[in-house]
Amino acid sequence: MAAMMGETRIKGISLFMKTGLLAFCLFGVISTLTSALTAWTLYDHMTREYLSKGTAIAQSIAGASQEILLNRDAATVQSMIDQYLEIEGVVYVFVVDADGLVVSHTFVPEMPPILRDIEGTRHRTVVTSLEIEPFGRVIDICQPILAGLAGHVHVGMGREVIIAYFWEVVFKMQVLLFFIFWGCVGILYLVIRRISRPLGQLTEYARKVAAHDFSDSIDIRTRDELEVLGRAMMSMGQELALLFSEMESEVDKATADLREHMAYLSAIIDNLADGLLVVGVKGEITVLNPAMRELFGLEEKGYEGSLVQQVFPTEVGELTKAICGCEGKVVSGEIGLSRGRTGKAVGSSIYVSEPAPQCMGGVLLVRDITREKELDQLKTDFISTVSHELRTPMTSVLGFSKIIRKKLEKSVFPPLAGRADVEKPIEQVRSNMGIIVAEAERLTELINDVLDIARMEAGEIQWRDEEVSMGAVLEQSREATRGLWQSKGLEVVTQVAGGLPRINGDRARLVQVVVNLISNAVKFTGVGPVVCSARQEGDDILVSVRDNGEGIEPGDMHLIFDKFKQVGDTLTSKPEGTGLGLPICRQIVERHNGRIWVESEPGKGSVFSFTIPVSGSAKTGEAKDVSCRQPEMRPGDTAGDRTNARPLVLVVDDDPSLIEYLSQVFEDQGFIVCEAMSGPEAIRTAQSVLPDLITMDIMMPGMDGREVIERLRRIPATRSIPILVITALSGVEEEAGDMALVKPVDDVTLLEAARALLDGKECCDSCIVLGDGRSCDLNGLAVLCTGDVRFTSVEAFWKLAEEGFRGTVFIPAEECGNVELKRLSGLRGISVIILPPSACA
């Protein structure tokens, strides 16, 4: 406030100075222009007057000297011209005859040479400006005598007199204006001082109002606008005082409410059972509750302002990156927590509408679902076990029921036909046997569906991929459901677009999907036809099943793909089916990297659709089953051995030559090798064989390596498989798998990296080599280090170890004698790698 008052005071002084300076400048300009104009007018007037005077003198002399010059009386002419020197301004007079000879002149002692060269004219007066010593600037007026026949008269009028008089007048006017100016300044000062008193009061009052001091008053009685302004300011100050009082009261109340609300929110956030993470638009942490710290085992220190990637695992960083993009979508996924636990994360962007719509970042909620996962696994195991155990007795129940019904129809009922007393019991027995068989078949279907769901969730189902024509799948599904739709008097029509490419998939499972959709359409349709269509949309095959049934209510559409959910009221009507058909369809479609959805309008039927991507191998007609290359059998090995000594490696690359090279390197070391040349094929193969290690290329057509890794991390069965990225793109290694190598890669580096991942070794940020960096070459083993590698002596290393160094220590073979290996092995958090003699020269 003091600064503002000082600024107001400076502005007031500046205004007064500017007013005085402006007045001074205006008066100076006016006085200068006035003086200059007056002096110039005087100078011009005197010049013309002198010119007129000189011309009159010249004409007088010329008129009076005509006869004298003709008589050659020079003395008379001299006496006549001498008397003109007494006239003010006349400098000289001289007369020349017709021959140009000077008859007489007024110069003492002699005439200046410059005047002898002046020539006149016969018929007019000639005026010439000259610079003549010692006269200075002179106006020479030449007048002809008898039209020049008798000669010329020259009269010189001095300009110096005019100029001297000019400056005298200018000086006197400036002196006069100087006194006038300071007199006006004094009068102006008195007037301004009288005006500034009420202005000073207004200024002081304004300063106090700005400082929220409304106790002062203004007493201005000038009976003009200043008095009105003072009263208005007084009134405004009183209103401001009232408003400030009310505002301070409201601010205090709002502050108290805000503090209470913030304390309430803080208590809620701190006591949330779920982990809460709020990030800004750049991925920086803004809010982190205690539950989130506990889920990830974070220390009790401030992480606000740190980037998410610096504090949390990569999975959390990817989720926060998605929500910070402010695309308005909700992201979710399972992530790993500390101590081997599993969490479920859900995140969304944060938008505010005031004062302007903008995205403020994102919020991520994480819940520990380890117990739920264990219970879900127990449930799956229980369902799988019970389903397996029920299938045997159900086979017997259904089989014997059909045999009994067949025996009754063949051997018992015919002899009793026609007897009125047993006709009714026979019909009852026949009906009851039909019910037993139908219910047994329904129960068997339920067991099969439950078993399929359990096996799919556990990743135990066997997939048989081959080259499949979706047109053939639709036709086979139509024939498989013929009995169902013909019994209801409906018709099923297939519409397959021409030139439809083949896909890679499990034919039987795809038929199962279409059969289920057709069965549901027939079940809920009274009037046909049911239309099954297949066409290509971009890189996908779109299959749709359209019916004319009652449709689905909007509130039920998000439930129909959930397990044991059916459309309709199951309390008032008997449900038809198990409620597992559509969930099984979704599992099968998603396994083929597709998606399934429904579009429906009550009273107008429904359209169930799903897409299956057209894979690269299917386009070229080269579909192939999963095959793995077995290494040569060694003594003591047994077929199908999958121990740690014979791990299974899945090699993924779109270059056949590189696949062959990597496969041979692994086979020579006793690895079992499976191969995949595209992203979809890699996902299918990984789910099918569950390898111990995956080598992944990043740059592949269609689905690149990053997307393959992302999908594998979302599948429970393949989430924990270590992935070794082998890419030609330097600088992208940290964006993908667990470890990365840049092409070209040698076999030693490849095997070392593979064994490190298979043994569960983690990449570290710190590495030390005991030795001289100029003589040691890690030969690619630095792939175990994502940070800088330091070379140091043994003594310096022990000092670093005492200071808390954690990481990997490379020890050349020749340095082993200088290192206390027993002491080194006792240090926690340090891994030791002995370099062979060939590594250091």
Side-chain angles (χ1 to χ4, degrees), residues 539-550:
D539 294 332
D540 296 331
I541 300 296
L542 173 64
V543 179
S544 300
V545 177
R546 181 186 302 273
D547 64 62
N548 299 316
E550 297 179 358

Side-chain angles (χ1 to χ4, degrees), residues 516-571:
N516 197 294
L517 297 181
I518 293 177
S519 300
N520 285 343
V522 172
K523 187 186 303 182
F524 296 104
T525 300
V527 180
V530 174
V531 180
C532 302
S533 61
R535 68 178 186 275
Q536 184 173 5
E537 283 195 355
D539 294 332
D540 296 331
I541 300 296
L542 173 64
V543 179
S544 300
V545 177
R546 181 186 302 273
D547 64 62
N548 299 316
E550 297 179 358
I552 304 172
E553 295 293 334
D556 295 331
M557 292 180 65
H558 69 286
L559 300 174
I560 60 175
F561 289 102
D562 293 341
K563 290 177 285 189
F564 303 104
K565 297 293 184 180
Q566 292 181 302
V567 177
D569 187 357
T570 57
L571 297 178

Side-chain angles (χ1 to χ4, degrees), residues 114-259:
I114 190 174
L115 296 177
R116 300 180 183 275
D117 298 331
I118 300 177
E119 296 181 358
T121 61
R122 293 184 177 183
H123 304 290
R124 62 186 180 87
T125 303
V126 178
V127 179
T128 305
S129 295
L130 300 174
E131 185 78 22
I132 303 174
E133 292 294 340
F135 306 114
R137 285 173 288 182
V138 177
I139 301 174
D140 182 83
I141 303 169
C142 180
Q143 178 67 33
I145 303 174
L146 293 177
L149 296 177
H152 295 83
V153 178
H154 290 266
V155 178
M157 302 299 294
R159 283 184 181 272
E160 296 297 334
V161 179
I162 301 174
I163 294 174
Y165 192 70
F166 168 82
W167 285 115
E168 181 184 358
V169 172
V170 169
F171 175 75
K172 291 180 179 179
M173 288 189 66
Q174 291 297 323
V175 171
L176 177 62
L177 291 173
F178 175 80
F179 287 105
I180 294 173
F181 169 75
W182 285 111
C184 294
V185 168
I187 297 172
L188 179 64
Y189 173 77
L190 295 176
V191 173
I192 291 178
R193 187 171 182 179
R194 182 177 180 182
I195 297 174
S196 64
R197 289 176 182 175
L199 287 178
Q201 294 185 33
L202 293 174
T203 303
E204 186 64 25
Y205 183 76
R207 289 198 190 109
K208 292 184 177 181
V209 169
H212 299 174
D213 181 6
F214 305 99
S215 60
D216 201 1
S217 61
I218 302 176
D219 185 16
I220 299 177
R221 300 182 181 182
T222 58
R223 297 181 181 181
D224 56 12
E225 292 81 356
L226 291 177
E227 183 177 351
V228 176
L229 179 60
R231 293 177 182 176
M233 289 189 67
M234 281 286 295
S235 176
M236 180 182 66
Q238 294 173 358
E239 293 181 3
L240 286 176
L242 180 61
L243 290 175
F244 268 96
S245 177
E246 294 177 354
M247 183 181 68
E248 288 177 356
S249 176
E250 292 295 328
V251 168
D252 292 340
K253 181 180 178 181
T255 303
D257 293 342
L258 180 60
R259 288 175 179 170

Side-chain angles (χ1 to χ4, degrees), residues 33 55 88 97 117 177 203 208 218 299 320 363 373 380 382 609 661 676 689 772 787 820:
L33 292 177
T55 302
E88 182 183 13
D97 58 13
D117 298 331
L177 291 173
T203 303
K208 292 184 177 181
I218 302 176
E299 300 177 0
T320 54
V363 59
K373 293 287 290 185
T380 301
F382 171 76
S609 305
Y661 165 72
V689 302
D772 188 356
E820 301 177 41

Side-chain angles (χ1 to χ4, degrees), residues 647-689:
L648 180 96
V649 178
L650 172 59
V651 178
V652 182
D653 202 295
D654 62 335
D655 187 353
S657 300
L658 187 58
I659 286 183
E660 181 64 24
Y661 165 72
L662 297 177
S663 299
Q664 289 187 16
V665 171
F666 286 118
E667 286 174 4
D668 292 342
Q669 297 298 317
F671 289 66
I672 302 172
V673 181
C674 294
E675 303 171 355
M677 296 185 64
S678 66
E681 184 181 0
I683 296 174
R684 291 193 300 269
T685 305
Q687 289 180 288
S688 177
V689 302

Side-chain angles (χ1 to χ4, degrees), residues 629-654:
R629 299 166 58 161
Q630 298 288 338
E632 294 182 5
M633 299 295 290
R634 302 178 181 180
D637 289 348
T638 59
D641 188 13
R642 284 286 305 276
T643 63
N644 289 335
R646 297 173 60 80
L648 180 96
V649 178
L650 172 59
V651 178
V652 182
D653 202 295
D654 62 335

Side-chain angles (χ1 to χ4, degrees), residues 277 279-284 307-309 313-329 331 347-349 359 361-364 706 734-735:
L277 173 65
V279 296
V281 291
K282 296 181 179 179
E284 71 278 9
L307 294 178
V308 175
Q309 294 82 353
T314 305
E315 297 169 313
V316 179
E318 293 176 352
L319 289 174
T320 54
K321 184 178 180 180
I323 61 179
C324 289
C326 298
E327 298 178 358
K329 60 183 181 180
V331 298
S348 62
S349 302
C359 177
V363 59
L364 189 71
R706 295 185 185 88
E734 293 82 10
E735 299 179 7

